[in-house]
Amino acid sequence: MLHALVAEFMGTALMIIFGVGVHCSTVLKGTKYRGSGHIFAITTWGFGISIALFIFGNVCINPAMVLAQCLLGNLPWTSFIPYSLADLFGGVIGSVIVWVMYADHFKASEGEISPITIRNLFCTSPAVRHLPRNFFVEFFDTFIFISGILAISTVKTPGVVPIGVGLLVWAIGMGLGGPTGFAMNLARDMGPRIAHAILPIANKADSDWQYGIVVPGIAPFIGAACAAWFMHGFFGIN
C-alpha cells in the first residue's frame, strides 16, 4: 500500500509539474516560450501524462479513476480515500515546485498579468460561466476519458497504454476542452487550486471554491462511475 501511495503521489506531482509548468511557460513574462498557445499547452499535458505513466506504471493519478477501479473491483474500497488523498497532495506539491521554478517570472509578471489569469495557470475555469452546463461538460469529458482509458488498457502490448492515454488527453483537450479546460480530475484541479490559495502570490484573485468544488470537484466522479458501469455492462471490461 505504501509503495502504491507514493507512486500515486509522485505520478500526480509529475503530471502537474508538466501541466501547470507549461501554462506558466506560455503565459508568464520573460519565459522562453511565452505566447506559444493552447496547442503547445495541450500537447504538453498529453505527453506529460504519458511520461508519468511510463515512469510510475499502473497508477491512477486521478481520484475519478480510483473510483472507477473500485467500482470494477480492481481496487478495494479501502484504497479509495488514501489513493485520492495521495493524488490530491501530489497536485499541491507539484504546483508548489512549479511556482518555485517560475518564481522570477511570477515576480516579473506582477502588475502586467491579471490575478484571474494567474489563478488560471494553476486551476481550470470556464470560458462562459454557466455551472449546469460546465458541470455537464466535465461529466462528459470524464466519461469519455475513463471509458477511453479502460478500452486502451485492454491492449496488452507494452508501451501502448501510456502512449494511448496521452493521445486520448490530447484529443479530448483539442476537441472538448474549450468550454471548461478539461480538468477531468479532482487532483489536477483542486491540488493546484489549494497551492494557489496558500502560496505567497502578490495581488492574487480568490480561488473560486464554488466552481472548483462543484464542477471539476464533483462532475468527474459521476462521469467516471458512468464510464465504469458502461464499459463493464456493454463491453464486459473490468
Side-chain angles (χ1 to χ4, degrees), residues 23-231:
H23 292 314
C24 291
S25 184
T26 59
V27 172
L28 292 176
K29 184 177 181 180
T31 71
K32 291 182 177 294
Y33 305 120
R34 191 183 194 193
S36 295
H38 283 86
I39 295 176
F40 186 86
I42 292 168
T43 303
T44 303
W45 271 105
F47 287 177
I49 290 173
S50 291
I51 296 303
L53 293 176
F54 269 119
I55 294 173
F56 297 104
N58 190 27
V59 288
C60 295
I61 58 176
N62 182 344
M65 177 55 83
V66 178
L67 176 63
Q69 294 298 329
C70 290
L71 288 169
L72 292 169
N74 297 323
L75 285 174
W77 281 101
T78 53
S79 298
F80 177 67
I81 292 178
Y83 274 49
S84 297
L85 289 176
D87 293 341
L88 179 63
F89 190 50
V92 175
I93 297 303
S95 300
V96 171
I97 290 171
V98 171
W99 177 77
V100 172
M101 294 174 68
Y102 283 90
D104 294 330
H105 302 283
F106 275 99
K107 182 68 175 177
S109 300
E110 291 177 11
E112 178 179 325
I113 298 176
S114 76
I116 298 296
T117 300
I118 293 295
R119 183 186 68 204
N120 291 346
L121 299 177
F122 292 88
C123 50
T124 62
S125 66
V128 177
R129 192 182 186 93
H130 185 279
L131 291 183
R133 186 169 293 113
N134 303 151
F135 187 96
F136 174 75
V137 169
E138 281 297 320
F139 157 79
F140 189 74
D141 286 2
T142 309
F143 176 81
I144 298 297
F145 184 49
I146 299 300
S147 297
I149 293 174
L150 293 174
I152 292 165
S153 296
T154 64
V155 181
K156 303 306 179 183
T157 305
V160 165
V161 172
I163 294 171
V165 173
L167 290 173
L168 176 63
V169 171
W170 195 68
I172 292 173
M174 298 290 282
L176 306 175
T180 61
F182 73 114
M184 308 183 298
N185 183 341
L186 179 144
R188 177 269 171 268
D189 185 89
M190 192 63 69
R193 198 177 294 270
I194 293 170
H196 171 265
I198 64 177
L199 285 169
I201 300 170
N203 302 319
K204 63 183 174 183
D206 71 89
S207 296
D208 196 3
W209 297 111
Q210 180 194 44
Y211 181 83
I213 292 170
V214 172
V215 178
I218 297 174
F221 287 113
I222 301 175
C226 290
W229 292 326
F230 171 71
M231 296 301 286

